[in-house]
Every structure is written in structure tokens, then in C-alpha cells.
Amino acid sequence: TDVLTEDEIQKIRDEGVSEEHIQQEFYCSFDRGVEGSYYGKIIEKARNENRVCSVPYDPRTPVNTAWDVGFGDSTSISFWQDVGGECRIIDFYEANGESISHYAKILQQKPYVYGSHYFPHDAGSGSIQTGRTLQEIAYEIGIKTILLPREIDISVGIEAVRTMLHTIFIDQTKCAHLIKCLENYHKKFNDKLQVYSDSPVHDWTSH
């Protein structure tokens, strides 16, 4: 038959085949994300520890937002609260090709009381056409933002996220797309050398 025994699968594992590939190929499991995923195993661990669950909004605590502003591609917003020393990601929103006023309206429509809005460093750069920054435009329509410093090495940021994900709680419904992105954000694969590089693939998971 075409069915492999556990001993045969273990032999394949011992030969260096990744656990992500084994789970997908032989157990029809896609919980770990794709091969080379930075966060797939950590999200699986969060599920096993019941930290991917229903995470309600606590009206006594301000909601902070973190933005990945797309210049020509998607913009995403993660909504989180710090409650009793826990980081709780309660909501997520992503869209493509919309103006900053669209995202301001999304924020206003939600029942949250906001704390800080964190923008990436490039939101402080002026447009060639207008000379105005995205941060200035956001301020004019009521979004007071904090610019994050530019990360010199993306691997430092990835490692910081890996550390954070070991303790966060994340809403399984409102953040379903974010969870899928985290599971599938992965390293580039060098077909010629048959190895993974140190840099991530820029695709739908990157935002």
C-alpha cells in the first residue's frame, strides 16, 4: 500500500526532512504553516495552550494599534491591549488601495477607546507630490501616531515577534487572517543551493 508506517515516517524525519513538511505530507495537517515558516510552530504552541481563543475587549483598558502602511500594497492594523501583564491581540484589519481617511473611519466605527497608534518609520517621509508625510495627514484627521525607529536588521524584528508570540493571547475569529499570515510568513528558498536564506518572502503574509 501507499500508507507509511510510523517507523518509516520517523526514518524520513531522521534524514532531515522538516516537521512542517512531514505534518502536511503524511498527516494532512496545515496548522504549522508552510515550510520555512518563522512563526508556524509558535502559533501551534499557542493553540495547544489555548491562547488562540476568544479574546474579548476590556473597556477599562485602552486599545493600541500597530500599523504596516502599504505604499502600493496592503495596509494592516493590529489592535491590542495590555491587561494584567498580558498582551491580548483583540482585532485585525487589512485593506488594499485605500486612503488614510478610510482607516480613520474603520477606527471610529469600532467601540474601542484608543491609547497609542504606532506607525512604521517610513510614514514620516514626505510625499514627492505633496511634501507632506502620512503621519501629518493622519494627525489632521484625528490619528495621533508614534513613529517606530527603522529596524536595521529585519532578523532582529522577527526574533522580537517570536519572543512575543510565546506569551500573547490572540482572538481566533477577529484575527483569523492575521493568524494565517503569521503561520505562513516564511523564509526564501534558494532552489540552486537547496537551502533557506535569512530573508523572508515578500508576499500576502508580509503585512
Side-chain angles (χ1 to χ4, degrees):
T1 66
D2 293 332
V3 178
L4 296 178
T5 66
E6 287 295 328
D7 288 342
E8 289 172 324
I9 293 174
Q10 184 59 47
K11 183 178 179 181
I12 294 171
R13 185 182 283 115
D14 294 341
E15 290 173 352
V17 176
S18 72
E19 191 63 28
E20 287 89 349
H21 182 83
I22 288 172
Q23 290 293 325
Q24 292 178 14
E25 192 71 18
F26 303 121
Y27 296 101
C28 299
S29 171
F30 294 89
D31 290 340
R32 290 174 176 262
V34 299
E35 278 196 273
S37 168
Y38 289 104
Y39 312 126
K41 291 180 181 179
I42 304 175
I43 293 296
E44 182 186 31
K45 180 174 180 283
R47 280 199 175 93
N48 293 337
E49 295 176 353
N50 297 316
R51 291 186 288 107
V52 178
C53 56
S54 175
V55 185
Y57 165 55
D58 183 344
R60 300 167 297 180
T61 306
V63 174
N64 302 308
T65 66
W67 298 55
D68 182 7
V69 180
F71 296 92
D73 54 15
S74 295
T75 290
S76 65
I77 310 172
S78 297
F79 300 76
W80 91 91
Q81 294 182 288
D82 291 312
V83 182
E86 294 176 350
C87 178
R88 303 178 181 179
I89 305 177
I90 63 169
D91 207 343
F92 179 77
Y93 183 78
E94 183 176 306
N96 188 292
E98 299 289 351
S99 66
I100 188 66
S101 60
H102 167 83
Y103 299 103
K105 186 175 181 180
I106 293 297
L107 264 61
Q108 292 165 0
Q109 290 174 344
K110 293 183 181 292
Y112 307 144
V113 175
Y114 292 104
S116 299
H117 301 287
Y118 294 92
F119 268 31
H121 70 94
D122 48 0
S125 301
S127 165
I128 294 176
Q129 288 83 7
T130 66
R132 302 167 69 212
T133 70
L134 184 59
Q135 186 183 34
E136 290 170 341
I137 297 171
Y139 183 82
E140 290 174 3
I141 58 178
I143 304 176
K144 298 179 182 180
T145 65
I146 297 172
L147 282 185
L148 296 173
R150 182 171 186 172
E151 195 68 70
I152 297 175
D153 186 347
I154 192 171
S155 65
V156 175
I158 289 172
E159 191 57 37
V161 173
R162 287 173 60 87
T163 300
M164 181 194 73
L165 289 176
H166 280 291
T167 57
I168 58 95
F169 290 79
I170 184 166
D171 190 273
Q172 62 187 354
T173 302
K174 292 182 179 179
C175 301
H177 182 67
L178 172 60
I179 293 167
K180 184 175 290 187
C181 289
L182 289 169
E183 288 176 321
N184 289 278
Y185 184 57
H186 63 286
K187 302 174 183 178
K188 292 180 181 178
F189 187 75
N190 187 314
D191 290 315
K192 184 177 180 179
L193 299 177
Q194 292 294 294
V195 295
Y196 287 101
S197 71
D198 292 330
S199 58
V201 173
H202 183 76
D203 61 8
W204 63 274
T205 69
S206 306
H207 310 295

